[in-house]
Coordinates of all heavy atoms in Angstrom, one line a residue:
A1410 N 12.0 -93.3 -93.2 CA 13.0 -93.2 -92.1 C 13.1 -91.7 -91.5 O 13.5 -91.6 -90.4 CB 14.4 -93.6 -92.7
D1411 N 12.7 -90.8 -92.3 CA 12.7 -89.4 -91.8 C 11.7 -89.2 -90.6 O 11.9 -88.5 -89.6 CB 12.5 -88.4 -92.9 CG 13.6 -88.3 -93.9 OD1 14.8 -88.7 -93.5 OD2 13.3 -87.9 -95.0
T1412 N 10.5 -89.8 -90.7 CA 9.6 -89.6 -89.7 C 10.0 -90.4 -88.4 O 9.7 -89.8 -87.3 CB 8.2 -90.3 -90.1 OG1 8.5 -91.7 -90.4 CG2 7.7 -89.6 -91.3
R1413 N 10.8 -91.4 -88.5 CA 11.2 -92.0 -87.4 C 12.3 -91.2 -86.5 O 12.3 -91.1 -85.4 CB 11.9 -93.4 -87.8 CG 12.1 -94.4 -86.6 CD 12.5 -95.7 -87.1 NE 12.3 -96.7 -86.2 CZ 12.7 -97.9 -86.2 NH1 13.3 -98.3 -87.4 NH2 12.7 -98.7 -85.3
V1414 N 13.2 -90.6 -87.2 CA 14.2 -89.7 -86.6 C 13.5 -88.5 -86.0 O 13.8 -88.1 -84.9 CB 15.3 -89.2 -87.7 CG1 16.1 -88.2 -87.1 CG2 16.0 -90.4 -88.2
G1415 N 12.4 -88.0 -86.6 CA 11.7 -86.8 -86.1 C 11.0 -87.2 -84.9 O 10.8 -86.4 -84.0
E1416 N 10.5 -88.5 -84.7 CA 9.8 -88.9 -83.5 C 10.8 -89.1 -82.3 O 10.4 -88.9 -81.2 CB 9.1 -90.1 -83.7 CG 7.9 -89.9 -84.7 CD 7.1 -91.3 -85.0 OE1 7.6 -92.3 -84.6 OE2 6.2 -91.2 -85.8
E1417 N 12.1 -89.5 -82.5 CA 13.0 -89.7 -81.5 C 13.6 -88.4 -80.9 O 13.9 -88.5 -79.7 CB 14.1 -90.6 -81.9 CG 13.6 -92.1 -82.3 CD 14.7 -93.0 -82.8 OE1 15.8 -92.5 -82.8 OE2 14.5 -94.1 -83.1
A1418 N 13.7 -87.4 -81.6 CA 14.3 -86.2 -81.1 C 13.4 -85.6 -80.0 O 14.0 -85.3 -79.0 CB 14.5 -85.2 -82.2
P1419 N 12.1 -85.5 -80.2 CA 11.3 -84.9 -79.0 C 11.3 -85.8 -77.8 O 11.3 -85.4 -76.7 CB 9.9 -84.7 -79.5 CG 10.1 -84.7 -81.0 CD 11.3 -85.5 -81.3
L1420 N 11.5 -87.1 -78.0 CA 11.5 -88.0 -76.9 C 12.8 -87.8 -76.1 O 12.7 -87.9 -74.9 CB 11.5 -89.5 -77.4 CG 11.4 -90.6 -76.4 CD1 9.9 -90.5 -75.7 CD2 11.5 -91.9 -77.1
A1421 N 13.9 -87.6 -76.7 CA 15.2 -87.3 -76.1 C 15.0 -86.0 -75.4 O 15.6 -85.9 -74.2 CB 16.3 -87.3 -77.1
V1422 N 14.4 -85.0 -75.9 CA 14.3 -83.8 -75.2 C 13.3 -83.9 -74.0 O 13.6 -83.4 -72.9 CB 13.7 -82.7 -76.2 CG1 13.3 -81.4 -75.4 CG2 14.7 -82.4 -77.3
D1423 N 12.3 -84.7 -74.1 CA 11.5 -85.0 -72.9 C 12.2 -85.6 -71.8 O 12.1 -85.3 -70.6 CB 10.2 -85.9 -73.4 CG 9.3 -85.1 -74.2 OD1 9.3 -83.9 -74.2 OD2 8.5 -85.8 -74.9
H1424 N 13.1 -86.6 -72.1 CA 13.9 -87.2 -71.0 C 14.9 -86.1 -70.4 O 15.1 -86.2 -69.2 CB 14.7 -88.4 -71.7 CG 13.9 -89.6 -71.8 ND1 13.4 -90.3 -70.7 CD2 13.6 -90.4 -72.9 CE1 12.6 -91.3 -71.2 NE2 12.8 -91.4 -72.6
A1425 N 15.4 -85.3 -71.1 CA 16.3 -84.3 -70.6 C 15.5 -83.4 -69.7 O 16.0 -82.9 -68.7 CB 17.0 -83.5 -71.8
V1426 N 14.3 -83.0 -70.2 CA 13.4 -82.0 -69.4 C 13.1 -82.7 -68.0 O 13.2 -82.1 -66.9 CB 12.3 -81.6 -70.2 CG1 11.3 -80.8 -69.3 CG2 12.7 -80.7 -71.3
I1427 N 12.6 -83.9 -68.2 CA 12.3 -84.7 -66.9 C 13.4 -84.8 -66.0 O 13.3 -84.6 -64.8 CB 11.7 -86.0 -67.2 CG1 10.3 -85.8 -68.0 CG2 11.5 -86.9 -66.0 CD1 9.7 -87.0 -68.5
G1428 N 14.6 -85.2 -66.5 CA 15.8 -85.3 -65.7 C 16.2 -84.0 -65.1 O 16.6 -84.0 -63.9
G1429 N 16.1 -82.9 -65.8 CA 16.4 -81.6 -65.3 C 15.4 -81.2 -64.1 O 15.9 -80.7 -63.1
V1430 N 14.2 -81.5 -64.3 CA 13.2 -81.2 -63.2 C 13.4 -82.1 -62.0 O 13.4 -81.5 -60.8 CB 11.8 -81.4 -63.8 CG1 10.7 -81.3 -62.7 CG2 11.5 -80.4 -64.9
V1431 N 13.7 -83.3 -62.2 CA 14.1 -84.2 -61.0 C 15.3 -83.8 -60.3 O 15.4 -83.7 -59.1 CB 14.2 -85.7 -61.5 CG1 14.7 -86.5 -60.4 CG2 12.8 -86.2 -61.9
A1432 N 16.3 -83.3 -61.0 CA 17.5 -82.8 -60.5 C 17.3 -81.5 -59.6 O 17.8 -81.4 -58.5 CB 18.6 -82.5 -61.5
V1433 N 16.4 -80.6 -60.1 CA 16.1 -79.4 -59.5 C 15.4 -79.7 -58.1 O 15.6 -79.2 -57.1 CB 15.3 -78.4 -60.3 CG1 14.7 -77.4 -59.6 CG2 16.3 -77.9 -61.5
V1434 N 14.4 -80.6 -58.2 CA 13.6 -81.0 -57.1 C 14.5 -81.7 -56.0 O 14.4 -81.3 -54.9 CB 12.4 -81.9 -57.5 CG1 11.8 -82.5 -56.2 CG2 11.4 -81.2 -58.3
V1435 N 15.3 -82.5 -56.4 CA 16.3 -83.2 -55.4 C 17.2 -82.1 -54.8 O 17.5 -82.2 -53.6 CB 17.0 -84.3 -56.2 CG1 18.2 -84.8 -55.3 CG2 16.1 -85.5 -56.5
F1436 N 17.7 -81.2 -55.6 CA 18.6 -80.2 -55.1 C 17.9 -79.3 -54.1 O 18.4 -78.9 -53.0 CB 19.1 -79.3 -56.3 CG 20.1 -78.3 -55.8 CD1 21.4 -78.6 -55.4 CD2 19.7 -76.9 -55.8 CE1 22.2 -77.6 -54.9 CE2 20.6 -76.0 -55.4 CZ 21.9 -76.3 -54.9
A1437 N 16.6 -78.9 -54.4 CA 15.8 -78.1 -53.5 C 15.5 -78.8 -52.1 O 15.6 -78.2 -51.1 CB 14.5 -77.7 -54.2
M1438 N 15.2 -80.1 -52.2 CA 14.9 -80.9 -51.0 C 16.2 -81.0 -50.2 O 16.2 -80.9 -48.9 CB 14.4 -82.3 -51.4 CG 13.1 -82.3 -52.1 SD 11.7 -82.1 -51.0 CE 11.6 -83.7 -50.3
L1439 N 17.4 -81.2 -50.8 CA 18.6 -81.3 -50.1 C 18.9 -79.9 -49.3 O 19.3 -80.0 -48.2 CB 19.7 -81.7 -51.1 CG 21.1 -82.0 -50.4 CD1 20.9 -83.1 -49.5 CD2 22.1 -82.2 -51.6
C1440 N 18.7 -78.9 -50.1 CA 18.9 -77.5 -49.5 C 18.0 -77.3 -48.3 O 18.4 -76.8 -47.3 CB 18.8 -76.4 -50.5 SG 20.1 -76.3 -51.7
L1441 N 16.7 -77.7 -48.5 CA 15.8 -77.5 -47.4 C 16.1 -78.4 -46.2 O 16.0 -78.0 -45.1 CB 14.4 -77.9 -47.9 CG 13.3 -77.7 -46.9 CD1 13.0 -76.2 -46.8 CD2 12.0 -78.3 -47.5
L1442 N 16.6 -79.6 -46.5 CA 17.0 -80.5 -45.3 C 18.2 -79.9 -44.6 O 18.3 -80.0 -43.4 CB 17.4 -81.9 -46.0 CG 17.7 -83.0 -45.0 CD1 16.4 -83.3 -44.2 CD2 18.2 -84.2 -45.6
I1443 N 19.2 -79.4 -45.4 CA 20.3 -78.7 -44.7 C 19.9 -77.4 -43.9 O 20.3 -77.3 -42.7 CB 21.4 -78.4 -45.8 CG1 22.0 -79.6 -46.3 CG2 22.5 -77.5 -45.2 CD1 22.9 -79.3 -47.5
I1444 N 19.0 -76.7 -44.4 CA 18.6 -75.5 -43.7 C 17.9 -75.8 -42.4 O 18.1 -75.3 -41.4 CB 17.7 -74.6 -44.6 CG1 18.7 -73.9 -45.7 CG2 17.0 -73.6 -43.8 CD1 17.9 -73.2 -46.7
L1445 N 16.9 -76.9 -42.5 CA 16.2 -77.4 -41.3 C 17.1 -78.0 -40.3 O 16.9 -77.8 -39.1 CB 15.1 -78.4 -41.8 CG 13.8 -77.7 -42.3 CD1 12.9 -78.8 -42.8 CD2 13.1 -76.8 -41.3
G1446 N 18.0 -78.7 -40.7 CA 19.0 -79.4 -39.8 C 19.8 -78.2 -39.0 O 20.0 -78.4 -37.8
R1447 N 20.3 -77.2 -39.7 CA 21.0 -76.1 -39.0 C 20.1 -75.5 -38.1 O 20.5 -75.1 -37.0 CB 21.6 -75.2 -40.0 CG 22.7 -75.9 -40.9 CD 23.3 -74.8 -41.8 NE 24.1 -73.8 -41.0 CZ 24.7 -72.8 -41.4 NH1 24.8 -72.6 -42.6 NH2 25.3 -72.0 -40.6
Y1448 N 18.8 -75.1 -38.5 CA 17.9 -74.5 -37.5 C 17.6 -75.3 -36.3 O 17.7 -74.7 -35.2 CB 16.5 -74.3 -38.3 CG 15.4 -73.7 -37.4 CD1 15.6 -72.3 -37.1 CD2 14.5 -74.4 -36.9 CE1 14.6 -71.7 -36.3 CE2 13.5 -73.9 -36.1 CZ 13.6 -72.5 -35.8 OH 12.6 -72.0 -35.0
F1449 N 17.4 -76.6 -36.5 CA 17.1 -77.4 -35.2 C 18.3 -77.6 -34.4 O 18.2 -77.8 -33.2 CB 16.5 -78.8 -35.7 CG 15.0 -78.7 -36.1 CD1 14.6 -79.1 -37.3 CD2 14.0 -78.1 -35.2 CE1 13.3 -78.9 -37.7 CE2 12.8 -78.0 -35.6 CZ 12.4 -78.4 -36.8
A1450 N 19.5 -77.7 -35.0 CA 20.7 -77.8 -34.2 C 21.0 -76.5 -33.4 O 21.5 -76.6 -32.4 CB 21.9 -78.1 -35.1
R1451 N 20.6 -75.4 -34.1 CA 20.9 -74.1 -33.3 C 19.9 -73.9 -32.2 O 20.2 -73.3 -31.2 CB 20.8 -72.9 -34.3 CG 21.1 -71.6 -33.7 CD 21.1 -70.6 -34.8 NE 22.2 -70.8 -35.7 CZ 22.3 -70.3 -36.9 NH1 21.3 -69.5 -37.3 NH2 23.3 -70.6 -37.7
H1452 N 18.7 -74.4 -32.4 CA 17.6 -74.1 -31.3 C 17.4 -75.4 -30.5 O 16.2 -75.7 -30.3 CB 16.3 -73.6 -32.1 CG 16.5 -72.3 -32.7 ND1 16.5 -71.1 -32.0 CD2 16.6 -72.0 -34.0 CE1 16.7 -70.2 -32.8 NE2 16.7 -70.7 -34.1
K1453 N 18.4 -76.2 -30.3 CA 18.3 -77.4 -29.6 C 17.8 -77.3 -28.1 O 17.0 -78.1 -27.6 CB 19.6 -78.3 -29.7 CG 19.5 -79.7 -29.4 CD 20.6 -80.4 -29.8 CE 21.4 -81.1 -28.7 NZ 22.6 -81.7 -29.2
G1454 N 18.4 -76.4 -27.4 CA 18.2 -76.4 -26.0 C 17.2 -75.4 -25.4 O 17.3 -74.8 -24.4
T1455 N 16.1 -75.2 -26.2 CA 15.1 -74.2 -25.8 C 13.9 -74.8 -25.2 O 12.8 -74.0 -25.1 CB 14.8 -73.3 -27.0 OG1 14.2 -74.2 -28.0 CG2 15.9 -72.6 -27.6
Y1456 N 13.9 -76.0 -24.8 CA 12.7 -76.7 -24.3 C 12.8 -76.5 -22.8 O 13.8 -77.0 -22.1 CB 12.7 -78.1 -24.7 CG 11.5 -78.8 -24.1 CD1 10.2 -78.6 -24.6 CD2 11.6 -79.7 -23.0 CE1 9.1 -79.2 -24.0 CE2 10.5 -80.4 -22.5 CZ 9.2 -80.1 -23.0 OH 8.1 -80.7 -22.5
F1457 N 11.9 -75.9 -22.1 CA 11.9 -75.7 -20.7 C 10.7 -76.4 -20.0 O 9.6 -76.4 -20.6 CB 11.9 -74.2 -20.3 CG 13.0 -73.4 -20.7 CD1 12.9 -72.6 -21.8 CD2 14.2 -73.6 -20.2 CE1 13.9 -71.8 -22.3 CE2 15.4 -72.9 -20.6 CZ 15.1 -72.0 -21.7
T1458 N 11.0 -77.2 -19.0 CA 9.9 -77.8 -18.2 C 9.4 -76.8 -17.1 O 10.1 -76.0 -16.7 CB 10.2 -79.1 -17.7 OG1 11.3 -78.9 -16.8 CG2 10.7 -80.1 -18.8
H1459 N 8.2 -77.1 -16.6 CA 7.7 -76.3 -15.4 C 7.8 -77.2 -14.1 O 6.9 -77.2 -13.3 CB 6.3 -75.9 -15.7 CG 6.1 -75.1 -16.9 ND1 6.4 -73.7 -16.9 CD2 5.7 -75.3 -18.1 CE1 6.3 -73.2 -18.0 NE2 5.8 -74.2 -18.9
E1460 N 8.9 -77.9 -14.0 CA 9.0 -78.6 -12.8 C 9.6 -77.8 -11.7 O 10.2 -76.8 -11.9 CB 10.1 -79.8 -13.1 CG 9.5 -80.8 -14.1 CD 10.6 -81.8 -14.4 OE1 11.6 -81.9 -13.9 OE2 10.2 -82.8 -15.3
A1461 N 9.5 -78.3 -10.5 CA 9.9 -77.5 -9.3 C 11.5 -77.4 -9.3 O 12.1 -78.5 -9.6 CB 9.4 -78.2 -8.0
K1462 N 11.9 -76.3 -8.9 CA 13.4 -76.1 -8.9 C 14.1 -76.6 -7.7 O 15.1 -77.1 -7.8 CB 13.7 -74.7 -9.1 CG 13.1 -74.0 -10.3 CD 13.8 -74.5 -11.6 CE 13.2 -73.9 -12.8 NZ 13.4 -74.7 -14.0
G1463 N 13.5 -76.6 -6.5 CA 14.1 -76.9 -5.3 C 14.0 -78.4 -5.0 O 14.4 -78.8 -3.9
A1464 N 13.4 -79.2 -5.9 CA 13.2 -80.6 -5.5 C 14.3 -81.6 -6.0 O 14.1 -82.7 -5.8 CB 11.9 -81.0 -6.2
D1465 N 15.4 -81.0 -6.4 CA 16.4 -81.9 -7.0 C 17.2 -82.7 -5.9 O 17.5 -83.8 -6.1 CB 17.5 -81.1 -7.8 CG 16.8 -80.5 -9.1 OD1 15.7 -81.1 -9.6 OD2 17.2 -79.5 -9.6
D1466 N 17.5 -82.0 -4.8 CA 18.3 -82.5 -3.8 C 17.5 -83.0 -2.5 O 18.0 -83.1 -1.4 CB 19.4 -81.6 -3.3 CG 18.8 -80.2 -2.9 OD1 17.6 -80.0 -3.1 OD2 19.6 -79.4 -2.3
A1467 N 16.3 -83.4 -2.7 CA 15.4 -83.7 -1.6 C 15.6 -85.2 -1.4 O 15.9 -86.0 -2.3 CB 13.9 -83.5 -1.9
A1468 N 15.4 -85.7 -0.1 CA 15.5 -87.0 0.3 C 14.4 -87.9 -0.1 O 14.6 -89.0 -0.7 CB 15.7 -87.1 1.8
D1469 N 13.2 -87.4 0.0 CA 12.0 -88.2 -0.6 C 11.0 -87.3 -1.2 O 11.3 -86.1 -1.3 CB 11.4 -89.0 0.6 CG 11.0 -88.0 1.8 OD1 11.4 -86.9 1.7 OD2 10.4 -88.6 2.7
A1470 N 9.9 -87.9 -1.6 CA 8.9 -87.0 -2.3 C 8.2 -85.9 -1.5 O 8.0 -84.8 -1.9 CB 7.9 -88.1 -2.9
D1471 N 8.0 -86.3 -0.2 CA 7.4 -85.3 0.7 C 8.2 -84.1 0.9 O 7.8 -83.0 0.9 CB 7.0 -85.9 2.0 CG 6.0 -87.1 1.8 OD1 5.1 -86.9 1.0 OD2 6.0 -88.1 2.7
T1472 N 9.6 -84.3 1.1 CA 10.5 -83.2 1.3 C 10.6 -82.4 0.1 O 10.7 -81.2 0.1 CB 11.8 -83.7 1.7 OG1 11.7 -84.7 2.8 CG2 12.8 -82.6 2.2
A1473 N 10.5 -83.1 -1.0 CA 10.6 -82.4 -2.3 C 9.5 -81.5 -2.5 O 9.6 -80.3 -2.9 CB 10.7 -83.4 -3.5
I1474 N 8.3 -81.9 -2.1 CA 7.1 -81.0 -2.2 C 7.2 -79.9 -1.2 O 6.8 -78.7 -1.6 CB 5.8 -81.9 -2.0 CG1 5.6 -82.9 -3.1 CG2 4.6 -80.9 -1.8 CD1 4.5 -83.8 -2.9
I1475 N 7.6 -80.1 0.0 CA 7.8 -79.0 0.9 C 8.8 -77.9 0.5 O 8.6 -76.8 0.6 CB 8.1 -79.6 2.3 CG1 6.8 -80.4 2.8 CG2 8.4 -78.5 3.3 CD1 7.2 -81.2 4.0
N1476 N 9.9 -78.4 -0.1 CA 11.0 -77.5 -0.4 C 10.9 -76.9 -1.8 O 11.7 -76.1 -2.2 CB 12.3 -78.3 -0.4 CG 12.8 -78.7 1.0 OD1 12.3 -78.2 2.0 ND2 13.6 -79.7 1.1
A1477 N 9.9 -77.3 -2.5 CA 9.8 -76.9 -4.0 C 9.5 -75.4 -4.0 O 8.7 -74.9 -3.2 CB 8.8 -77.6 -4.6
E1478 N 10.2 -74.7 -4.9 CA 9.9 -73.3 -5.1 C 8.8 -73.1 -6.1 O 8.8 -73.7 -7.2 CB 11.1 -72.5 -5.6 CG 12.4 -72.6 -4.7 CD 13.6 -72.1 -5.3 OE1 13.5 -71.6 -6.4 OE2 14.7 -72.2 -4.6
G1479 N 7.8 -72.3 -5.8 CA 6.8 -72.0 -6.8 C 5.9 -73.3 -7.0 O 5.2 -73.4 -8.0
G1480 N 5.7 -74.1 -6.0 CA 4.9 -75.2 -6.1 C 3.4 -74.8 -5.8 O 3.1 -73.7 -5.7
Q1481 N 2.5 -75.8 -5.7 CA 1.1 -75.4 -5.6 C 0.8 -75.5 -4.0 O -0.1 -76.2 -3.6 CB 0.3 -76.5 -6.4 CG 0.4 -76.2 -7.8 CD -0.6 -77.0 -8.6 OE1 -1.5 -77.5 -8.1 NE2 -0.5 -77.0 -9.9
N1482 N 1.6 -74.7 -3.2 CA 1.3 -74.6 -1.8 C 0.0 -73.8 -1.6 O -0.8 -74.0 -0.7 CB 2.4 -74.1 -1.1 CG 3.7 -75.0 -1.2 OD1 3.6 -76.1 -1.4 ND2 4.8 -74.3 -1.1
N1483 N -0.2 -72.8 -2.4 CA -1.3 -72.0 -2.4 C -2.4 -72.5 -3.4 O -2.4 -72.1 -4.5 CB -0.9 -70.5 -2.7 CG -1.2 -69.6 -1.6 OD1 -1.7 -70.0 -0.6 ND2 -0.6 -68.3 -1.8
S1484 N -3.1 -73.4 -3.0 CA -4.1 -74.1 -3.8 C -5.3 -73.3 -4.1 O -6.1 -73.6 -4.8 CB -4.4 -75.6 -3.4 OG -5.0 -75.4 -2.1
E1485 N -5.5 -72.2 -3.3 CA -6.8 -71.4 -3.4 C -6.6 -70.4 -4.6 O -7.6 -69.8 -4.9 CB -7.0 -70.7 -2.1 CG -7.3 -71.7 -1.0 CD -7.7 -71.0 0.3 OE1 -8.1 -69.8 0.2 OE2 -7.7 -71.6 1.4
E1486 N -5.4 -70.2 -5.1 CA -5.3 -69.2 -6.2 C -6.0 -69.7 -7.5 O -6.6 -69.0 -8.2 CB -3.8 -69.0 -6.5 CG -3.1 -68.2 -5.4 CD -1.6 -68.0 -5.7 OE1 -1.2 -68.3 -6.8 OE2 -0.9 -67.5 -4.8
K1487 N -5.8 -71.1 -7.7 CA -6.4 -71.7 -8.9 C -7.4 -72.6 -8.6 O -7.2 -73.5 -7.8 CB -5.3 -72.3 -9.8 CG -4.2 -71.4 -10.3 CD -3.2 -72.2 -11.1 CE -2.1 -71.4 -11.5 NZ -1.1 -72.0 -12.2
K1488 N -8.6 -72.5 -9.2 CA -9.7 -73.5 -9.0 C -10.2 -73.8 -10.3 O -10.3 -73.1 -11.2 CB -10.8 -72.9 -8.1 CG -10.4 -72.5 -6.7 CD -11.6 -72.1 -5.9 CE -11.2 -71.7 -4.5 NZ -12.3 -71.3 -3.7
E1489 N -10.4 -75.2 -10.4 CA -11.0 -75.7 -11.6 C -12.4 -76.2 -11.4 O -12.7 -76.8 -10.4 CB -10.1 -76.9 -12.1 CG -8.8 -76.5 -12.5 CD -8.0 -77.7 -13.1 OE1 -8.6 -78.8 -13.3 OE2 -6.8 -77.5 -13.3
Y1490 N -13.3 -75.9 -12.2 CA -14.6 -76.3 -12.2 C -15.0 -77.1 -13.3 O -14.8 -76.8 -14.5 CB -15.6 -75.1 -12.1 CG -15.3 -74.1 -11.0 CD1 -14.6 -73.0 -11.1 CD2 -15.9 -74.4 -9.7 CE1 -14.3 -72.1 -9.9 CE2 -15.7 -73.7 -8.6 CZ -14.9 -72.4 -8.7 OH -14.7 -71.7 -7.7
F1491 N -15.5 -78.3 -13.1 CA -15.9 -79.3 -14.1 C -17.4 -79.3 -14.1 O -18.0 -79.5 -13.2 CB -15.4 -80.7 -13.8 CG -13.9 -80.8 -13.8 CD1 -13.2 -80.8 -12.7 CD2 -13.2 -80.8 -15.1 CE1 -11.8 -80.8 -12.7 CE2 -11.7 -80.7 -15.0 CZ -11.1 -80.9 -13.9
I1492 N -18.0 -79.2 -15.3 CA -19.4 -79.1 -15.5 C -19.8 -80.4 -16.1 O -19.3 -81.0 -17.0 CB -19.8 -77.9 -16.5 CG1 -19.4 -76.6 -15.9 CG2 -21.3 -77.9 -16.7 CD1 -19.6 -75.4 -16.8

């Protein structure tokens, strides 16, 4: 009967160690999730598009292109060559 008690004691310690490791991992993941959530909430409005600024109040598409600031009216500045 002494060998049986000796075998059960390390088994109980193993369960405690595994439970502790799982608890630490879950706690670390929760902290990481909170930190990432706060970071993304703080940097939420930093996405900028490169759309034309003067085209918001235009009547149609042609007027929007004519009134656009910084549009590609000067098409000779950039040239693309496909090989």
Side-chain angles (χ1 to χ4, degrees):
D1411 290 337
T1412 57
R1413 198 169 190 190
V1414 173
E1416 290 174 1
E1417 289 178 7
L1420 188 65
V1422 172
D1423 288 342
H1424 281 298
V1426 170
I1427 291 172
V1430 169
V1431 169
V1433 168
V1434 168
V1435 168
F1436 181 73
M1438 295 281 281
L1439 187 64
C1440 289
L1441 186 67
L1442 186 68
I1443 291 171
I1444 290 170
L1445 281 175
R1447 289 186 66 180
Y1448 175 77
F1449 284 123
R1451 184 173 295 163
H1452 297 285
K1453 190 166 125 178
T1455 57
Y1456 180 75
F1457 297 110
T1458 60
H1459 297 284
E1460 296 176 359
K1462 302 293 182 201
D1465 293 334
D1466 54 351
D1469 57 352
D1471 294 328
T1472 311
I1474 292 173
I1475 294 170
N1476 293 341
E1478 300 172 3
Q1481 294 192 1
N1482 298 334
N1483 247 349
S1484 60
E1485 297 185 16
E1486 292 178 7
K1487 297 179 184 178
K1488 293 185 179 180
E1489 295 183 10
Y1490 297 98
F1491 296 103
I1492 299 174

